[in-house]
Amino acid sequence: MSQVRTRFAPSPTGFMHLGGVRTALYAYLFAKKNGGKFILRIEDTDQERFVEGATEVIYDTLRDCGILWDEGPDIGGDYGPYIQSERKSLYLPYAQELVEKGAAYYCFCTKEELDERRAAAEARGEVFKYDKHCLGLSKEEVQAKLDAGVPYVIRMNAPTEGSTSYHDLVFGEMTFPNSDTMDDMVLIKQDGMPTYNFANVIDDHLMGITHVMRGVEYLSSTPRYNFLYNAFGWEIPEYIHLTTVMRDATHKLSKRDGDAYYSDFIAKGYLKDALVNYLALVGWNPGTDQEFFNMDELVQAFDVKHLNKSPGIFDVNKLDWMNGQYVQKMDFERYLQMATPWFDQALAGRGVDYRRLAELMQSRTDIFSRIPEKIQFLAQMPDYDPAIFFNKKQKSDENVAREVLPLLIPVLEGIEDWTEQNIHDTVMAVIPQWGKKNGQVLWPMRISISGLESTPGGAFEIAYLLGKQETLRRMRSSLEKLG
Ligand code: GLU
């Protein structure tokens, strides 16, 4: 069997959709698993949809994810160019070959003529399909129009009867009646550019693609492509159609909900490794209970047999959980580096010891964008209800706080070197002298300076992070609040 060659063929129309990242990932995994090649092809023949900079976004996203291509526009390869607009001149001769074979024909109908016939068909309650009007032109008539420079398109001469069957590696045997799925689609547009419908066939063939992986929306277009392959006498590739990535049973991931694009998730502080790991599992399963995979492990485990037929649900809660697991395991220095801009959002310029804060926050971070809200209390004392001084287990309440805080303030004032260790040792030394349980001092201490029942770190850590002055200021104002 020839070497496996898969491709990812995005159109540069904006940001990278998560569904696209997943398609690229599966095509990459399949190629690597089979010792094959993964090709990147940019499909920019629809110039109206082209967005400046979108090709770079595709490169950056795939590289970021570790989905690396063996051949592509920026690195070349034996089958280039890999940008369709740069291949423009090679498509027309193929379309002309089909014309000679009777599988395609020139069409000179103007937009106005087509609009008129479409309107008439709709008035009759029919769906307009191109009516093969120009198929009736004689060879001489066609040549005369071409010589006169009349604008034209080239259309496929689609069969109107019978049906087309093919085998899909995920969906199995597919059969479509030709009258439903075929029409005389345009192959070459007036501007000389091929349509996607034509270019994908030519390019997949010329680039030696053995397995075409793409979205399930192409399932019913495939008979048209097979018609073209057959007309050329070319081998039809294997097809692997992938289900849509959904937010839930009825909703797609959407731009409006901010959950469609790879960059949205990175901006929210998700880790790319977690995102890639999770995406792999949306629509595919390893056939075992294993959930955590790095790229090499995904390559090893990947098997088309375990691609799902039903839409993949992208469960953000599951992703959050998985991301948290990755955060916990990440190298501390990297965590500190990634967390710093998020610390800054809440604490810039306050001189908080970020290293210590990072030690406390790493195990409490699921996604980075939630860090600022969790540490906001260090920037500003929350307006809290004094009822939270009550804690049964710690034997604390407002009265205990009224008694303990005035004792604590001078003790803390006396600490010269405000280290966490000194705060700890000094406070722990006085608690027995006051005849109190630890909780009866530490609970009011922490509440009085954080205003929160639960905080990252205990009383000593918080006091240290706040600094001496701020700790004392907060304690005094809490005492005032207690009255
Ligand atoms: N350019 C097409 C798209 O972005 C590619 C589909 C295919 O893989 O053939 O949907």
Side-chain angles (χ1 to χ4, degrees):
M1 200 184 137
S2 61
Q3 187 188 47
V4 165
R5 289 173 61 85
T6 65
R7 89 299 194 272
F8 178 52
S11 303
T13 55
F15 295 114
M16 274 280 281
H17 195 280
L18 282 184
V21 176
R22 196 195 60 170
T23 300
L25 175 65
Y26 288 167
Y28 169 83
L29 295 175
F30 183 76
K32 297 295 133 181
K33 172 71 187 247
N34 292 287
K37 295 263 189 278
F38 172 64
I39 287 100
L40 176 62
R41 178 171 79 225
I42 300 296
E43 302 207 325
D44 61 346
T45 56
D46 192 347
Q47 298 283 333
E48 277 164 32
R49 290 174 62 219
F50 182 81
V51 173
E52 203 62 53
T55 305
E56 286 67 32
V57 171
I58 294 166
Y59 296 159
D60 293 347
T61 306
L62 295 181
R63 286 220 167 88
D64 208 33
C65 291
I67 302 170
L68 306 177
W69 49 104
D70 300 297
E71 298 167 25
D74 55 337
I75 58 170
D78 294 342
Y79 301 80
Y82 294 88
I83 296 191
Q84 276 180 339
S85 58
E86 292 173 13
R87 301 168 68 78
K88 182 176 170 184
S89 61
L90 67 80
Y91 300 103
L92 184 60
Y94 284 103
Q96 286 165 336
E97 182 183 334
L98 291 181
V99 172
E100 270 156 41
K101 290 179 158 153
Y105 59 94
Y106 289 93
C107 169
F108 302 92
C109 292
T110 62
K111 187 176 176 304
E112 291 69 33
E113 288 165 341
L114 290 173
D115 285 348
E116 218 169 277
R117 273 154 37 215
R118 178 174 295 110
E122 279 163 11
R124 291 193 302 271
E126 292 167 13
V127 182
F128 180 71
K129 272 189 176 183
Y130 185 74
D131 49 10
K132 294 188 186 278
H133 181 268
C134 289
L135 185 58
L137 296 174
S138 69
K139 233 181 155 156
E140 293 70 32
E141 283 171 309
V142 169
Q143 197 53 52
K145 283 182 191 287
L146 291 177
D147 292 344
V150 180
Y152 66 88
V153 301
I154 297 182
R155 292 182 180 274
M156 179 168 97
N157 183 14
T160 51
E161 289 169 356
S163 62
T164 302
S165 298
Y166 68 94
H167 184 79
D168 179 274
L169 289 179
V170 175
F171 291 89
E173 212 52 31
M174 304 300 303
T175 299
F176 294 93
N178 292 336
S179 56
D180 285 1
T181 50
M182 299 269 202
D183 64 2
D184 288 10
M185 64 185 186
V186 172
L187 306 178
I188 299 285
K189 295 184 275 192
Q190 267 193 11
D191 63 4
M193 278 285 196
T195 54
Y196 163 76
N197 284 325
F198 190 48
N200 88 85
V201 170
I202 304 299
D203 289 344
D204 284 340
H205 172 73
L206 293 180
M207 293 182 181
I209 302 303
T210 58
H211 295 76
V212 169
M213 274 186 166
R214 65 182 152 215
V216 74
E217 64 274 20
Y218 291 97
L219 208 49
S220 62
S221 316
T222 296
R224 308 156 166 219
Y225 308 143
N226 288 356
F227 174 83
L228 294 174
Y229 282 104
N230 287 330
F232 283 117
W234 292 343
E235 196 181 331
I236 295 173
E238 298 281 359
Y239 291 110
I240 301 171
H241 285 96
L242 304 169
T243 57
T244 309
V245 179
M246 305 286 285
R247 173 152 52 94
D248 54 43
T250 48
H251 297 94
K252 292 188 180 181
L253 298 180
S254 76
K255 189 169 151 180
R256 212 189 45 215
D257 295 311
D259 59 8
Y261 298 128
Y262 177 79
S263 51
D264 292 336
F265 284 85
I266 296 305
K268 281 185 225 164
Y270 287 88
L271 298 175
K272 57 188 182 209
D273 293 347
L275 197 50
V276 169
N277 186 158
Y278 182 63
L279 260 184
L281 299 172
V282 178
W284 170 83
N285 68 79
T288 65
D289 289 341
Q290 188 177 344
E291 286 186 299
F292 291 92
F293 292 90
N294 63 26
M295 196 57 99
D296 288 341
E297 292 165 332
L298 282 175
V299 168
Q300 285 319 310
F302 193 74
D303 187 340
V304 170
K305 275 208 300 263
H306 289 126
L307 283 170
N308 301 341
K309 274 191 209 166
S310 47
I313 305 290
F314 186 88
D315 177 350
V316 178
N317 294 326
K318 183 80 197 277
L319 172 64
D320 287 358
W321 169 80
M322 185 167 265
N323 200 70
Q325 299 294 309
Y326 270 82
V327 173
Q328 256 111 96
K329 276 183 242 142
M330 81 197 270
D331 170 65
F332 175 73
E333 294 301 328
R334 206 174 139 239
Y335 174 82
L336 174 60
Q337 189 194 9
M338 274 194 75
T340 294
W342 300 98
F343 290 168
D344 275 340
Q345 266 192 29
L347 304 173
R350 289 177 189 269
V352 172
D353 180 347
Y354 280 2
R355 186 164 282 275
R356 183 66 185 122
L357 181 60
E359 284 167 6
L360 297 168
M361 286 303 294
Q362 184 165 4
S363 63
R364 294 173 171 86
T365 303
D366 54 1
I367 57 174
F368 283 82
S369 59
R370 297 204 177 117
I371 289 177
E373 74 191 58
K374 290 185 178 159
I375 59 172
Q376 182 55 35
F377 76 97
L378 292 171
Q380 201 182 13
M381 181 72 179
D383 186 20
Y384 67 100
D385 179 351
I388 63 172
F389 278 109
F390 175 77
N391 184 311
K392 195 165 170 207
K393 203 170 133 226
Q394 308 296 346
K395 299 194 177 6
S396 165
D397 59 20
E398 289 177 52
N399 286 329
V400 173
R402 270 190 209 100
E403 188 189 339
V404 165
L405 295 183
L407 296 172
L408 262 176
I409 290 170
V411 169
L412 295 177
E413 269 172 339
I415 299 175
E416 295 271 318
D417 187 9
W418 194 256
T419 62
E420 205 174 302
Q421 191 66 48
N422 284 349
I423 305 167
H424 170 274
D425 295 349
T426 309
V427 174
M428 292 312 275
V430 294
I431 295 176
Q433 298 167 20
W434 299 339
K436 295 285 179 222
K437 301 242 179 275
N438 286 352
Q440 290 180 303
V441 174
L442 301 184
W443 183 265
M445 176 173 165
R446 195 171 57 82
I447 298 289
S448 72
I449 60 177
S450 71
L452 297 172
E453 283 181 284
S454 118
T455 50
F460 305 131
E461 286 94 343
I462 306 292
Y464 165 68
L465 289 173
L466 286 172
K468 182 172 176 179
Q469 252 195 339
E470 179 65 5
T471 299
L472 287 165
R473 194 190 66 73
R474 289 185 179 199
M475 229 177 235
R476 290 196 188 98
S477 91
S478 282
L479 192 55
E480 239 168 71
K481 191 177 170 107
L482 282 162

